[in-house]
Amino acid sequence: MVQRLSPVVVVLLFAFAAPALAQSPVLYRLSFPAPEQHWMQVEIRFTDVPPGTLRVVMSRTSPGRYALHDFARHVSDVQIDDGAGRALTAERPSSSEWDVSGHAGTVRVRYRVFGDSTEGTFLGIDSTHAHINMPAAMMWAHGLEERSVRVTFDLPPASGWKVATQLHTTSDPSTFTGGNLAYLIDSPAEASRFALRTFAVGRETFRLALHHDGSDREADRLIQDIRQLVSEEAAVFGEFPAYEGSAYTFLADLLPSAASDGMEHRNSTVITSPVALRVAGERLSVLAAVAHEFFHGWNVERIRPRSLEPFNLEDVNMSGELWLAEGFTNYYGALLLHRAGLANLSDTAAGWGSTLDTVIRSPARKYRSAEDMSRLAPVVDKSFVFDEPDLEGTYISYYVWGEAIALGLDLTLRERSAGTITLDDYMRAMWTRYGKPGGPTEGLVSHPYTIEDARNCLADVAGDPAFAQDFFDRYIRGREVVDYRALLERAGLLLRKRNPGRAWIGPLQLSFEFGGARVSSPTLQDTPVHAAGLDRGDEVLALDGRAVESNVTVDQVLRDHRPGDSVQVRIRRNGVPQVLTVTTQEDPRLELVPVEAERPLTRSERSLRDAWLSSRQ
Ligand SMILES: [Zn+2]
């Protein structure tokens, strides 16, 4: 929660300081004495500080991520003084906090912060750029959250770096401002020799700051495709949000050292990836990230769950609505890529097929709803590496399940209204009610929604409160899935078994690292290998009498068998040899393909498919 001034402090402020001075901006200065060593120097000057202790904080969380990251672990050499060189004492109530006392109204904090990861949450400093996610870099002070900020970049001499950010420009090209702490924290910055491209749609200006090692022509082509996507996305809502500042900025780092990531902000988005734009498939993955993140400008940045607003920089915000915030955004990312003509039908269908395969077959639906999965975000979003073995069979990503819910709801709305009501209408209604009204303070959302609001909005759009109640009860707060097969076939898409008639034992991850084959991750519930008792750590000596030398051996054994056959597995567990029996079953995995794979498309299928998947512009 954002801490507010206590009444006592407010009285003191009015008694001893002129109100205008009480709003003195917080001044930040960033410099880069040794970028190749991956750190930057931060200097912060707090002036007109109310008497008493000033609590200075390094954030523990970052908007758009849902777990604790404890950014203070990368901070060192902290020096705190009165602005004129007289050191001030600071108590340390926690590893992220400095309680500064004995000041006379000015507190200067200087420190080094390390960062060597180019992605959306952390900090990446090297000889080619400074890629800054603000919570990972900037301390702030309790009680001063509503003050404006002024950020100056002291760029390395002769580096040729410029700065791209959604912070507001000033007459000095190296100095930017923001209305308050929430806006500062939401404003990533890229300082490098990036290629800059701009375009306008209506009255809005869009910028691409592209740091890459590709050609100018690749940058030109990318901006064309982004323009296409931006227009297609606006057509869903009928308008752009009222972006703060003069432009919306895409901050893209496509570098071999970058991680694959995307991070949404109010008036900008960060896209990082190690891929090369000259490879068509890799280029498409960048556009897919753009499609997802740009949609967040409406859904999450402005149509925002109350559980994420205001964002708590010192502890996790737990949200039961991420199936809508992230999952619906995932659905629209794929849908809009197709509507914009950037993805073909087979690829789009294959993506949704894999989503539905996960959700429909996952044993996790026995234990948790989509709302429950959302509430696991503080645990599962901790890192990119999934290292909680018990979650393997009890967790489905809210990105994936939410995408399946959006797909099911879109097709259900179309079916029950003969095509006159769609998920676009629902998103537009959520926008009109909760996103568009905006608010008086930049960086904050004044009309966040609750899950009941989202259900009531569906009731109004569908004109049927009982339908909305039932849909939420069964598919969002319950653990059922809609009848995808029937709904999709009406649009000429077949949800079918991927390998009919083929024997299957379930996913079996084997590691061959130390000689022999060892099961390297937990076996999944409701699969033949799990039912046979095989689990992580078991050494597989033989499968069906054959030594297992690679995954190819497993495939060969399965090809020799039919569903329902018994296959013996000799294992060694804790040094003791054992024999287990696996009973194969028919491969249950699903795929989604255009119906033309089996028969001609009917006229009504074509008309639903076109209304759903073709351009709205
Ligand atoms: Zn997202």
Side-chain angles (χ1 to χ4, degrees):
M1 299 284 281
V2 174
Q3 300 283 318
R4 311 244 166 226
L5 292 178
S6 73
V8 176
V9 175
V10 173
V11 170
L12 288 172
L13 266 177
F14 279 95
F16 299 111
L21 284 178
Q23 293 307 312
S24 293
V26 179
L27 306 178
Y28 290 86
R29 182 170 286 274
L30 309 180
S31 52
F32 307 89
E36 68 284 359
Q37 288 164 9
H38 314 295
W39 60 275
M40 71 175 179
Q41 179 72 26
V42 180
E43 175 176 331
I44 311 169
R45 195 175 277 265
F46 302 102
T47 53
D48 301 306
V49 177
T53 300
L54 182 72
R55 174 163 291 182
V56 177
V57 181
M58 193 70 186
S59 300
R60 305 186 66 204
T61 59
S62 182
R65 292 299 296 272
Y66 307 105
L68 288 177
H69 295 290
D70 288 312
F71 298 111
R73 68 186 195 267
H74 296 304
V75 167
S76 63
D77 194 18
V78 179
Q79 299 178 40
I80 303 178
D81 67 24
D82 66 351
R86 185 179 65 89
L88 297 173
T89 49
E91 299 287 322
R92 297 298 310 281
S94 78
S95 57
S96 299
E97 296 169 311
W98 288 256
D99 277 355
V100 184
S101 55
H103 63 82
T106 296
V107 173
R108 179 170 67 165
V109 183
R110 291 175 291 171
Y111 56 91
R112 280 181 181 210
V113 57
F114 174 88
D116 190 19
S117 36
T118 299
E119 44 89 279
T121 307
F122 295 94
L123 181 64
I125 313 274
D126 61 38
S127 51
T128 72
H129 75 164
H131 182 81
I132 304 167
N133 184 44
M134 294 299 170
M138 310 292 239
M139 292 190 191
W140 49 277
H142 275 198
L144 308 187
E145 295 92 338
E146 287 165 26
R147 291 203 186 175
S148 63
V149 302
R150 200 173 168 83
V151 183
T152 299
F153 294 79
D154 277 341
L155 299 173
S159 64
W161 290 4
K162 297 161 290 178
V163 178
T165 173
Q166 69 174 28
L167 289 167
H168 311 308
T169 53
T170 66
S171 55
D172 170 5
S174 299
T175 297
F176 300 84
T177 62
N180 51 40
L181 174 68
Y183 196 75
L184 169 72
I185 286 298
D186 185 50
S187 299
E190 163 78 13
S192 67
R193 297 172 64 159
F194 50 77
L196 186 67
R197 296 289 186 278
T198 62
F199 65 88
V201 179
R203 286 170 312 178
E204 300 296 337
T205 302
F206 297 87
R207 301 188 297 180
L208 166 67
L210 174 61
H211 181 201
H212 71 148
D213 49 15
S215 69
D216 281 355
R217 264 196 64 192
E218 285 161 8
D220 295 340
R221 249 192 94 196
L222 184 66
I223 193 83
Q224 288 301 333
D225 289 343
I226 290 177
R227 182 194 181 116
Q228 194 65 25
L229 264 175
V230 159
S231 303
E232 200 62 58
E233 302 216 354
V236 172
F237 294 96
E239 61 186 335
F240 290 108
Y243 298 121
E244 289 98 356
S246 54
Y248 183 99
T249 307
F250 294 94
L251 301 167
D253 282 76
L254 307 182
L255 302 163
S257 59
S260 285
D261 196 16
M263 189 56 68
E264 71 278 8
H265 299 276
R266 281 179 72 82
N267 308 305
S268 61
T269 197
V270 166
I271 306 286
T272 67
S273 177
V275 306
L277 288 172
R278 63 184 170 278
V279 182
E282 299 189 350
R283 201 164 148 280
L284 192 61
S285 74
V286 172
L287 290 167
V290 169
H292 177 105
E293 304 305 337
F294 189 64
F295 196 81
H296 272 318
W298 291 273
N299 190 32
V300 134
E301 291 299 333
R302 292 172 175 85
I303 304 171
R304 191 161 177 84
R306 178 163 291 168
S307 49
L308 294 180
E309 186 70 21
F311 190 80
N312 188 346
L313 294 167
E314 296 170 274
D315 201 352
V316 292
N317 289 61
M318 192 151 84
S319 174
E321 293 83 24
L322 298 183
W323 54 270
L324 172 51
E326 290 295 358
F328 277 42
T329 301
N330 240 15
Y331 170 67
Y332 270 100
L335 178 62
L336 293 166
L337 211 55
H338 189 279
R339 283 188 185 165
L342 299 169
N344 64 35
L345 180 62
S346 302
D347 290 348
T348 305
W352 285 332
S354 137
T355 294
L356 295 178
D357 178 57
T358 301
V359 174
I360 291 171
R361 293 194 308 107
S362 174
R365 283 199 296 111
K366 288 191 281 197
Y367 308 106
R368 294 186 173 105
S369 67
E371 188 183 22
D372 298 330
M373 299 302 176
S374 300
R375 293 193 174 122
L376 275 175
V379 178
V380 299
D381 195 33
K382 188 98 187 138
S383 67
F384 289 110
V385 184
F386 209 67
D387 54 5
E388 311 278 349
D390 56 318
L391 286 174
E392 198 85 40
T394 62
Y395 172 72
I396 304 172
S397 162
Y398 40 84
Y399 285 83
V400 175
W401 197 344
E403 180 177 27
I405 292 169
L407 173 63
L409 181 55
D410 199 355
L411 294 174
T412 301
L413 286 171
R414 286 168 195 273
E415 198 213 0
R416 62 198 306 281
S417 69
T420 57
I421 299 169
T422 75
L423 197 65
D424 292 7
D425 297 305
Y426 178 62
M427 292 313 300
R428 209 173 303 123
M430 288 293 284
W431 167 245
T432 308
R433 275 180 205 192
Y434 300 107
K436 190 173 179 179
T441 313
E442 70 174 8
L444 296 173
V445 172
S446 53
H447 294 77
Y449 69 85
T450 62
I451 194 164
E452 282 74 24
D453 293 332
R455 189 194 57 217
N456 292 338
C457 187
L458 180 62
D460 293 347
V461 168
D464 186 345
F467 161 74
Q469 180 79 49
D470 180 65
F471 194 92
F472 271 67
D473 286 351
R474 290 169 68 188
Y475 310 122
I476 293 164
R477 303 189 119 158
R479 307 192 297 250
E480 295 178 53
V481 290
V482 303
D483 184 358
Y484 287 102
R485 198 179 301 267
L487 287 168
L488 284 159
E489 188 150 3
R490 288 195 186 90
L493 294 174
L494 286 180
L495 186 64
R496 65 181 189 186
K497 285 209 170 126
R498 203 187 296 176
N499 300 308
R502 202 178 291 175
W504 179 82
I505 57 173
L508 183 63
Q509 309 276 354
L510 295 174
S511 148
F512 300 92
E513 229 177 308
F514 306 106
R518 198 171 285 274
V519 181
S520 59
S521 57
T523 54
L524 198 61
Q525 284 176 54
D526 303 340
T527 63
V529 280
H530 188 267
L534 213 62
D535 205 0
R536 181 162 76 166
D538 290 341
E539 190 186 345
V540 180
L541 305 172
L543 182 65
D544 203 24
R546 273 193 245 183
V548 179
E549 274 144 19
S550 72
N551 287 311
V552 177
T553 317
V554 180
D555 291 344
Q556 282 165 346
V557 167
L558 288 176
R559 222 160 276 149
D560 293 346
H561 284 276
R562 302 179 60 76
D565 285 358
S566 293
V567 177
Q568 294 220 315
V569 193
R570 275 203 305 121
I571 63 162
R572 185 155 43 212
R573 178 178 295 164
N574 303 323
V576 182
Q578 296 182 40
V579 177
L580 304 176
T581 303
V582 182
T583 306
T584 66
Q585 65 179 69
E586 185 184 19
D587 189 342
R589 290 176 293 174
L590 301 170
E591 65 177 4
L592 185 64
V593 295
V595 80
E596 293 92 317
E598 294 188 4
R599 59 166 174 80
L601 190 68
T602 68
R603 184 180 297 193
S604 81
E605 287 166 356
R606 177 180 299 282
S607 112
L608 173 49
R609 190 193 280 177
D610 286 350
W612 172 33
L613 298 178
S614 59
S615 173
R616 280 300 97 82
Q617 293 183 69

